[in-house]
Amino acid sequence: MALTVDGVMNWLVQNADALQPSMPDHYLRSNAFYALKARGEIPVAQEVPEELFLKEVLPYRVVDEPVDHWREGFFQVLAPHAMRATSLRGAVEDLVPRIFQELRASPKVMRKPNQTAVVFKSNLTPEMMAPISETLTSGYASCTGSSILIVDGLRSVGIPARLVGTPQWNIPTGGNHNWVEVWTGDGWHFFDAVPDVRLDEAWFAPSNTKFANNKDSTHAILSAEWTKGDATYPLTWRKPAVLWRAEGRTAFYLAKSEQS
């Protein structure tokens, strides 16, 4: 397909789930314009295959968070740094700490800039999920809101990123968690939604991930997707749980666990 503003706008609408809200034309047009601008101007973003751009860069919503107008401001703050990157991995490692600190401090993003960084606070889903109006405005979020913020920040400069998680750990203590996967040219890599990026290292892997079960969506590991995948992610912060489009990632994490 032609990667034009109209072309990618139409792709986004045609591939949207019925759960996605209808957005005004001016919002979709701005989202498409800045997604293409990042792809055209940032050298490392030009390495991203078209399919990944459409599925994991272009979408303006990660799960069912309230929709903010985030892409333009995030691009303006982060693009100058992304321009200097010589690899996708290097860009991620440089940008994620800036996402926590510099977006909140910028008048290009915030009506009332704040110099303090976003911090983690537990049990704040679904209260703190929207990247600007909730997470950056309050200055805190739990794993879901922090993951959404990072995904949107990376997408704003053309880097494929997505939220991944489990509705419930398959361990006696239970609990759930969401984190980030990013594509760096050689496949997908995971990291926890914190400023200190350590690709393919996290407190939950392999200690919790090795018990994941792909036969039960409650205990599976899943990536939230814009297009229809091979699974659904039960968003258990809603009652009843909303079934979100997803790709199964359990096999990937089980294989990683065996390598550890």
Side-chain angles (χ1 to χ4, degrees):
M1 63 168 287
L3 291 185
T4 63
V5 169
D6 286 334
V8 300
M9 279 177 60
N10 290 335
W11 183 93
L12 206 58
V13 171
Q14 290 168 3
N15 286 278
D17 189 278
L19 295 173
Q20 298 291 355
S22 178
M23 299 300 295
D25 182 82
H26 67 83
Y27 181 94
L28 295 173
R29 190 165 295 278
S30 175
N31 178 74
F33 174 82
Y34 279 97
L36 289 170
K37 185 176 178 66
R39 182 172 176 82
E41 296 182 3
I42 296 172
V44 295
Q46 296 169 11
E47 302 172 18
V48 176
E50 180 178 312
E51 182 180 10
L52 276 179
F53 167 77
L54 293 171
K55 291 183 176 181
E56 312 292 359
V57 174
L58 179 64
Y60 54 83
R61 201 171 185 222
V62 180
V63 277
D64 65 342
E65 72 275 12
V67 178
D68 285 338
H69 186 85
W70 54 267
R71 194 179 292 267
E72 178 182 359
F74 284 18
F75 173 84
Q76 291 174 346
V77 173
L78 299 174
H81 306 291
M83 295 278 193
R84 299 196 294 267
T86 58
S87 69
L88 286 162
R89 184 187 186 104
V92 173
E93 292 171 343
D94 176 63
L95 291 170
V96 171
R98 299 182 188 278
I99 289 169
F100 279 85
Q101 179 78 51
E102 296 181 20
L103 294 179
R104 194 166 188 244
S106 175
K108 296 175 181 177
V109 174
M110 305 296 295
R111 291 181 180 178
K112 295 181 179 180
N114 191 304
Q115 297 300 316
T116 60
V118 173
V119 297
F120 174 84
K121 287 189 179 182
S122 61
N123 301 317
L124 286 174
T125 305
E127 292 81 7
M128 294 295 164
M129 294 173 66
I132 298 176
S133 60
E134 294 176 346
T135 299
L136 290 177
T137 297
S138 67
Y140 48 80
S142 53
C143 61
T144 306
S146 298
S147 296
I148 291 168
L149 179 66
I150 293 172
V151 169
D152 288 344
L154 294 176
R155 287 179 176 180
S156 76
V157 291
I159 300 174
R162 60 191 182 188
L163 177 147
V164 182
T166 184
Q168 186 178 65
W169 291 121
N170 191 24
I171 57 176
T173 53
N176 54 43
H177 194 51
N178 287 305
W179 59 93
V180 178
E181 281 188 356
V182 63
W183 189 84
T184 61
D186 60 347
W188 289 99
H189 299 271
F190 68 89
F191 62 96
D192 208 11
V194 296
D196 183 17
V197 177
R198 298 178 185 273
L199 294 185
D200 297 329
E201 296 181 26
W203 63 266
F204 52 83
S207 60
N208 290 16
T209 55
K210 66 183 178 182
F211 297 111
N213 183 351
N214 60 11
K215 296 181 181 179
D216 176 3
S217 62
T218 301
H219 296 129
I221 297 175
L222 304 150
S223 67
E225 302 291 344
W226 185 267
T227 56
K228 187 175 182 180
D230 61 4
T232 56
Y233 189 160
L235 304 183
T236 53
W237 53 82
R238 306 295 181 190
K239 305 298 180 186
V242 173
L243 298 181
W244 203 259
R245 289 177 170 180
E247 290 283 348
R249 297 292 290 157
T250 304
F252 172 85
Y253 285 90
L254 291 178
K256 284 283 186 182
S257 299
E258 292 175 0
Q259 296 168 10
S260 300

